[in-house]
Amino acid sequence: MLDILNDLIWSKLLIVMLIGLGLYFTVASRFVQFRYFSSMFRIFGEAFKRQPGQLSSFQALMLSVAGRVGAGNIAGVSVAIMLGGPGAIFWMWVVALVGMATSYFECSLAQLYKRREPDGTYRGGPAFYIQHGLGQRWLGVVVSILLLVTFGFGFNAVQSFTVASSLHDTFGLPTIVSGLILTGVIGVIIFGGIKRIASMADVLVPIMAFSYIGMALVVIGMNVSEVPATLALIVKSAFGLEPAFAGGIGAAILMGVKRGLFSNEAGSGSAPCAAAAAECDDPVKMGFVQALGVLIDTVVICSCTAFLMLLVPQEITEGLAGMDLLQTALQYHLGGFGVVFIAATLALFSFSTFLGVLYYARGNVAYLCGDNWWSQTVYKLIALAMLVIGGMQAYTVVWDLGDVGIGLMTIFNMLALYPLSGEALTALREYEAKKKLK
């Protein structure tokens, strides 16, 4: 049943919706992600400004990148290549470039409809702009529940198992031990409050991202003569022109879209939860900053993973999948250091994802249950329990439910973004008018 539902959602609905509405947002905004590409970096510099007691735009970006960058950027890319061929990477890039426009719309709307909490901070996200923008409280409740179940429970278990398995394979650490250690560290952070979560992401995300990108650039530099052929392989197989992957264009598109969304989450409604929490003087600026997060996640970090794997002779990695494929690739490039490095990187990436999604959960729990201590505590305890359970065993049903959950979240969120897109466009026109007056 789950397989049928997954096929309907991903093979039929989401490809059309993500690409179709993403292109609509791109054209309606006059290609906002390309016109303001350089401005995104300038505004990113302004994002470091902080108001006492509030999240800065930079911290909101780090939280959303923390939620985006996880096992999907490493193990997920290897799955995409295994099932869809190298061409899946091309379609991941397409989804990311189109998704930058989608991210602008959803994150600027999150700023427009954010609500101030009793302690003076902000919260918001798709449930809030669905209720207050469309007047559909019931749909906001559905989207909130989907987000909590999909990210807080299902993906926590999946990420935990991926980390525990990697540490077991690399260091021989029992999966239950790594699961308990991970749960303990996460517990100390999330029970320390939202500021501790934001502060941890503030430090962790830049370190892990730059370390991984730096290592990938070293490997690419070592194999620079092979880079043009690798790029040609990606493009050719994307369109079924590579003999080794002939007839695989459908699989390449499907896996590229699916893993692209899993990676950058543009349109799923998760990043707006972080975007709404920031103190920002213009919602358009937050849209720009979060669009940059999509680029960082998929076009930069996922591409690093893809090149690490594709720059290895095919006969060495043939028949391998998932972390086995990536560990073999890193051992080929960097020896034993590469295997240890990728295990540690995966742990950090997944750790950051736990922080990001648990931050998203905070606002949605409050949306459903009100501002109270008990509901937040119950949710945190259940989420931590899923980390322990996930660290012990892989559950195929959890992956399937995660696919269905994020698929349904994205469908409902995209359906809400379309009628509300005019407000994001108005905000963009007002921003452009103010720029002309300066």
Side-chain angles (χ1 to χ4, degrees):
M1 181 64 184
L2 283 177
D3 291 342
I4 296 173
L5 187 56
N6 260 327
D7 182 64
L8 173 64
I9 291 172
W10 289 97
S11 302
K12 310 293 191 303
L13 297 176
L14 273 184
I15 288 180
V16 174
M17 186 170 285
L18 282 173
I19 301 298
L21 285 177
L23 288 173
Y24 166 76
F25 294 144
T26 297
V27 173
S29 63
R30 293 181 296 126
F31 299 86
V32 63
Q33 69 269 50
F34 303 116
R35 286 194 299 124
Y36 285 98
F37 185 74
S38 60
S39 297
M40 290 177 188
F41 291 91
R42 177 178 56 79
I43 293 169
F44 179 66
E46 297 176 9
F48 288 91
K49 298 176 182 177
R50 302 184 181 185
Q51 298 292 331
Q54 300 289 355
L55 250 67
S56 68
S57 297
F58 176 77
Q59 286 178 304
L61 175 62
M62 291 303 99
L63 280 168
S64 64
V65 172
R68 289 181 174 120
V69 176
N73 296 78
I74 299 179
V77 174
S78 67
V79 170
I81 292 175
M82 179 186 70
L83 298 178
I89 303 304
F90 176 87
W91 295 109
M92 288 179 74
W93 293 339
V94 171
V95 168
L97 292 175
V98 172
M100 289 176 72
T102 303
S103 187
Y104 161 76
F105 277 84
E106 63 179 352
C107 291
S108 57
L109 283 170
Q111 273 283 313
L112 286 168
Y113 285 99
K114 67 185 180 183
R115 293 293 185 268
R116 188 181 290 272
E117 296 193 43
D119 63 359
T121 59
Y122 297 101
R123 69 166 176 255
F128 293 80
Y129 54 70
I130 287 172
Q131 177 176 340
H132 300 291
L134 297 179
Q136 302 294 327
R137 163 77 181 175
W138 69 271
L139 185 55
V141 169
V142 169
V143 171
S144 259
I145 292 172
L146 282 171
L147 187 145
L148 290 174
V149 173
T150 301
F151 285 98
F153 300 159
F155 279 17
N156 270 4
V158 168
Q159 299 266 354
S160 180
F161 178 77
T162 305
V163 172
S165 299
S166 176
L167 294 178
H168 174 72
D169 294 342
T170 305
F171 304 109
L173 189 67
T175 56
I176 183 61
V177 173
S178 55
L180 288 171
I181 293 173
L182 182 64
T183 302
V185 174
I186 292 287
V188 169
I189 294 171
I190 66 173
F191 278 102
I194 60 167
K195 291 179 182 177
R196 184 178 292 180
I197 297 175
S199 298
M200 180 62 71
D202 205 358
V203 174
L204 177 63
V205 171
I207 291 174
M208 71 177 193
F210 282 117
S211 298
Y212 189 62
I213 293 167
M215 185 270 294
L217 289 175
V218 168
V219 171
I220 291 171
M222 292 166 55
N223 299 272
V224 67
S225 61
E226 302 297 322
V227 171
T230 301
L231 282 170
L233 174 66
I234 290 171
V235 175
K236 287 180 181 178
S237 60
F239 296 96
L241 302 177
E242 176 61 37
F245 303 97
I249 183 171
I253 295 174
L254 176 61
M255 291 308 302
V257 171
K258 192 172 184 177
R259 293 300 151 193
L261 173 62
F262 260 79
S263 173
N264 61 58
E265 298 174 17
S268 71
S270 57
C273 299
E279 179 73 45
C280 187
D281 61 1
D282 194 309
V284 169
K285 290 183 178 180
M286 179 53 64
F288 289 165
V289 169
Q290 293 294 335
L292 190 61
V294 175
L295 183 80
I296 293 169
D297 177 271
T298 304
V299 177
V300 178
I301 295 180
C302 286
S303 296
C304 287
T305 303
F307 276 94
L308 288 174
M309 291 186 289
L310 294 175
L311 287 171
V312 178
Q314 190 174 348
E315 60 269 18
I316 293 177
T317 57
E318 190 172 359
L320 298 177
M323 284 303 298
D324 289 340
L325 172 58
L326 193 56
Q327 287 176 331
T328 301
L330 264 294
Q331 185 157 21
Y332 172 82
H333 292 303
L334 301 172
F337 168 77
V339 177
V340 173
F341 180 88
I342 202 61
T345 301
L346 177 62
L348 287 175
F349 276 23
S350 297
F351 182 76
S352 77
T353 300
F354 298 140
L355 296 180
V357 299
L358 289 171
Y359 189 91
Y360 299 162
R362 170 181 163 270
N364 285 275
V365 170
Y367 175 81
L368 293 171
C369 305
D371 291 295
N372 55 69
W373 173 87
W374 71 265
S375 60
Q376 295 288 345
T377 302
V378 168
Y379 183 83
K380 290 173 183 176
L381 290 173
I382 295 174
L384 291 173
M386 292 304 296
L387 291 181
V388 177
I389 293 170
M392 292 187 292
Q393 186 173 349
Y395 294 94
T396 304
V397 68
V398 174
W399 281 97
D400 293 338
L401 285 172
D403 285 351
V404 171
I406 195 171
L408 291 175
M409 273 176 56
T410 306
I411 289 170
F412 291 137
N413 185 54
M414 295 291 279
L415 289 175
L417 289 179
Y418 177 71
L420 291 172
S421 60
E423 296 184 42
L425 288 172
T426 298
L428 180 60
R429 285 194 289 268
E430 291 174 352
Y431 173 80
E432 291 171 337
K434 284 188 286 187
K435 276 190 62 180
K436 287 180 181 178
L437 292 176
K438 290 182 179 180

